[in-house]
Amino acid sequence: MLRVKSGDLDKMGLLFERYHRPLFSFLYHMTGKADVSEDLVQNVFYRMLKYRHTFTGEGEFRTWMYHLARNVLNDSVKQNKSRNHEDVHAYADRIDGGTSADAAFEKQQDAESLHKAMAVLSEDHREILVLSRFQELKYEEIAGILNITEGTVKVRVHRALGELKKVFLKNENRRKTHDM
């Protein structure tokens, strides 16, 4: 990013190749909409170019990038006000790993249950889990992105996981009761 900042804009392609998938994953888990997430990724990279002068190189690039991604997401939410999640079935084929039909069906149900549980969580809980579990960022990096202490990140992750477990189990119990 420092080379992009100094005018070597060709390096932006390398950054895109490295980070567009993790950004898409983060934004998809936050919005639940693949097409919206793709647009938001483009907006993040546009802002990286536009605000390249703000990257100092003192912190990690990923922290700065996710901070921009959060701002793009927040701006999008303010503009659209509609936060409907797309049907998980549209994304299930990306989750499946080509196993047997029964295993694939069970995996799809688990993914659907997890997606539904994540959608019920507050935005703060969903965001902290996406960053820590799906994006696999270190607590130190998350603290930089959210402008909080590392200890606060640990507490929030613990609380979010507890809430996710509670919602997931509640949904699973409903599903099993309904299937009987």
Side-chain angles (χ1 to χ4, degrees):
M1 188 62 206
L2 288 174
R3 294 189 70 191
V4 171
K5 181 180 178 177
S6 67
D8 189 0
L9 300 183
D10 291 339
K11 297 298 179 195
M12 197 66 190
L14 179 63
L15 290 175
F16 183 82
E17 285 302 313
R18 279 191 191 152
Y19 295 106
H20 78 276
R21 283 189 179 103
L23 271 176
F24 174 83
S25 176
F26 168 69
L27 294 165
Y28 178 80
H29 282 96
M30 293 305 295
T31 66
K33 297 179 181 181
D35 57 336
V36 171
S37 299
E38 289 170 7
D39 291 342
L40 293 175
V41 167
Q42 297 299 320
N43 288 342
V44 171
F45 280 95
Y46 169 75
R47 285 195 187 179
M48 281 184 201
L49 277 174
K50 184 176 180 179
Y51 298 111
R52 65 184 179 266
H53 65 279
T54 66
F55 182 72
T56 63
E58 291 175 20
E60 282 204 38
F61 168 74
R62 288 192 325 171
T63 303
W64 182 75
M65 178 186 72
Y66 279 108
H67 187 74
L68 286 176
R70 290 182 74 229
N71 289 340
V72 166
L73 180 62
N74 289 335
D75 291 348
S76 174
V77 168
K78 288 176 189 172
Q79 287 175 356
N80 296 324
K81 294 288 183 185
S82 64
R83 304 239 0 194
N84 298 330
H85 289 273
E86 71 184 36
D87 188 8
V88 158
H89 299 291
Y91 191 65
D93 59 321
R94 294 185 200 176
I95 297 170
D96 283 343
T99 58
S100 70
D102 287 342
F105 179 73
E106 190 172 313
K107 190 175 184 178
Q108 179 181 348
Q109 280 191 321
D110 288 345
E112 185 175 332
S113 295
L114 178 61
H115 186 76
K116 285 180 179 177
M118 288 287 289
V120 171
L121 295 179
S122 70
E123 188 171 326
D124 290 342
H125 281 167
R126 189 169 56 250
E127 180 179 50
I128 200 101
L129 288 178
V130 169
L131 290 171
S132 66
R133 297 304 190 254
F134 293 97
Q135 298 305 115
E136 299 177 353
L137 296 178
K138 296 176 184 169
Y139 288 169
E140 179 183 355
E141 291 176 289
I142 296 169
I145 293 166
L146 302 179
N147 294 322
I148 57 178
T149 67
E150 195 172 334
T152 302
V153 171
K154 290 177 184 178
V155 169
R156 288 185 184 179
V157 167
H158 178 74
R159 289 179 182 164
L161 284 171
E163 184 65 21
L164 178 64
K165 180 179 177 181
K166 187 168 50 174
V167 170
F168 184 82
L169 292 175
K170 184 177 175 182
N171 288 348
E172 282 298 294
N173 288 337
R174 276 193 207 138
R175 184 175 65 112
K176 287 178 183 177
T177 304
H178 183 268
D179 290 345
M180 290 183 170

